[in-house]
Amino acid sequence: MLALMLRISSTDIPPASLSPSGAWPLYSTQTTRQIEQACAQTLPPHTLMRRAGLAVAQLAVAIAPHAQRIWIACGPGNNGGDGFEAAAQLKALLPHIQILVSEVREQHQLPADAQASWLRARQAGVQWLDACPDDLGPQDLCIDALLGIGLRSSPTEQTSPETQCLFQLLEQIWQSPCPVLCVDIASGLDADTGQYPATMSPPRTSHSPRHTLALLTLQAGHFTAQGRDACEQIWWDSLGCDVETANAHPTALLNTTASLDSAPRSHASHKGSYGDVAILGGEGLAHRGMGMTGAAWLAALAALHAGAGRVMLALLDAQVQGISPWPEIMLRQPQAQNWDDATVVCGCGGGTTIEAWLPQILTQAPRLVLDADALNVIAASQELALTLTQRASKNQATILTPHPLEAARLLQTNTAAIQADRLQACTQLAQKFQCVALLKGSGTVIANTQGERWINSSGNARLATGGTGDVLAGLIGALWAQGRSAEQAAIQGAFMHGHTADIWPANQPFSASALAMRLGDAK
């Protein structure tokens, strides 16, 4: 979840501005440093660190109003300086409680700004400790000011006493019995990719709530890959810096509730106004003894409940009966369906049977969502991959919706490489196949051929169950058929899909079919 802590600064500079689409801009680490340097040049020395420390202190009080002890682990750079400054500010705000600091590097080894904040913390009466105090309780607070966006390499890749100390403190933060507030980003996490180094092994789930205060900018690593679990509740403070004056360009946009906005339907409309969606998939038992018709039905059900004017389902099973359990979904024989006048969703549960149909679908469909087995077949065929790539030159648009393994097959790599940099992998898919690509997973990424990228902010672990990807494919097809662009269909579909899971009643069972029938609740 994204929360925004918009501190009113003495400069009266707006904290940030949204993109025209209502999405939040995300900046790379390099650009964030450029913004910091540009802002610092217009301010008196030490101003940014003081603002950062105050922002951390104010949020700490809000998170843990009944804390008796606040422990701050301070690293060797300016992230540690923010921690020292927060300690001094907290001591002024809460003189009656213990403010405890552990440091990795001595004062004379710190950057100049961090040295000044170290001295302020000492003068304020903050107590120094070698490690995490033993008596922290659930009502107390731990502040992670070890690395922030300053990660250069994994702590375990070095053996210096300073690095060993840092890693020891980081382990203690991971095991904290009380809430944790991370400054900038969870230490050890790459702010650009949302991944920990391979040599680091943080717990799969935290023992206590995690909060993250992003300073100056929001970054992609907060919202994708391991970032969502590591950072949890995201807060943001611009520190009074105007990003626009730094001539900074975002690396991606964060897709939020603004993507749900849509024009009301006209009274003078009809089913033809909202497009046809044709689903092709669902290999039957007769082919390999592996019935997968349910996947195609889920995609069709999602398209129906997402508002498509008409939904046609062509199952790859000669034994299928001609009666639909949902009378609104019209069954078609694949050979009888006209593929050149509909938005086609191809591949859901297609198995190997889908291969015979792909040359025709790739050639004829004007708008094509490719999912699941259709992607696997294309990944194994240079001829089909080339046909897919050539669709753009014929004014035929395509959306790919792979999960990481399918993306790895399409890019001829492995899932570890895909997950190591999800934004880059999604961009490569879009450019290689000249389409809109949607890379599923924690913090779904959408990219187009112009290099524009979006990260989806909705969704939760409820979606980690069979069939939800088929629902997403059908949903995107329906939104696209109703007149949205390919990018809009992918962006809005991803958010609606995740948001429906986010607002799911806790006392009701969750399944892919139930999800498909509740898609309208997210609007």
Side-chain angles (χ1 to χ4, degrees), residues 32-290:
T32 298
R33 295 192 189 285
Q34 293 172 356
I35 293 169
E36 181 180 12
Q37 292 171 3
C39 188
Q41 290 174 1
T42 66
L43 297 169
H46 201 53
T47 300
L48 279 182
M49 188 163 288
R50 287 206 177 193
R51 289 181 182 177
L54 179 59
V56 173
Q58 290 175 334
L59 183 55
V61 173
I63 290 171
H66 304 296
Q68 293 302 306
R69 286 162 294 277
I70 297 179
W71 174 58
I72 309 174
C74 296
N78 283 332
N79 194 252
D82 295 340
F84 294 129
E85 186 63 36
Q89 300 276 6
L90 281 166
K91 196 62 181 176
L93 291 169
L94 305 170
H96 58 288
I97 74 170
Q98 287 184 296
I99 307 299
L100 312 166
V101 166
S102 298
E103 65 183 0
V104 169
R105 182 176 287 178
E106 296 180 2
Q107 180 197 14
H108 68 279
Q109 299 174 304
L110 295 168
D113 275 359
Q115 287 191 43
S117 290
W118 182 98
L119 184 59
R120 280 170 46 78
R122 283 286 192 182
Q123 292 171 342
V126 171
Q127 182 180 347
W128 251 248
L129 297 175
D130 291 333
C132 177
D134 295 331
D135 55 351
L136 285 180
Q139 78 286 349
D140 295 323
L141 181 68
C142 165
I143 298 179
D144 169 12
L146 285 174
L147 289 170
I149 64 172
L151 177 67
R152 293 292 191 275
S153 60
S154 169
T156 57
E157 293 173 356
Q158 303 176 20
T159 58
S160 69
E162 178 183 294
T163 301
Q164 291 176 350
C165 176
L166 189 151
F167 190 68
Q168 179 184 5
L169 293 176
L170 188 53
E171 287 276 2
Q172 291 169 348
I173 290 170
W174 287 341
Q175 303 298 330
S176 171
C178 62
V180 175
L181 170 57
C182 304
V183 180
D184 278 329
I185 197 167
S187 286
L189 195 71
D190 188 310
D192 292 322
T193 66
Q195 290 287 15
Y196 284 103
T199 51
M200 295 179 68
S201 301
R204 289 179 64 88
T205 57
S206 60
H207 295 272
S208 53
R210 259 54 178 171
H211 298 260
T212 298
L213 176 58
L215 298 172
L216 289 177
T217 68
L218 295 167
Q219 296 184 256
H222 291 116
F223 302 104
T224 194
Q226 294 172 292
R228 294 193 68 188
D229 288 322
C231 298
E232 288 192 16
Q233 181 85 30
I234 307 293
W235 305 79
W236 168 66
D237 194 310
S238 71
L239 305 183
C241 291
D242 186 355
V243 171
E244 292 182 352
T245 62
N247 194 30
H249 301 285
T251 188
L253 296 173
L254 183 68
N255 185 24
T256 64
T257 53
S259 70
L260 294 178
D261 294 340
S262 58
R265 291 191 168 193
S266 169
H267 289 289
S269 62
H270 51 83
K271 64 186 178 184
S273 305
Y274 304 108
D276 290 350
V277 175
I279 313 290
L280 178 65
E283 180 182 282
L285 280 168
H287 185 66
R288 294 182 299 158
M290 298 171 60

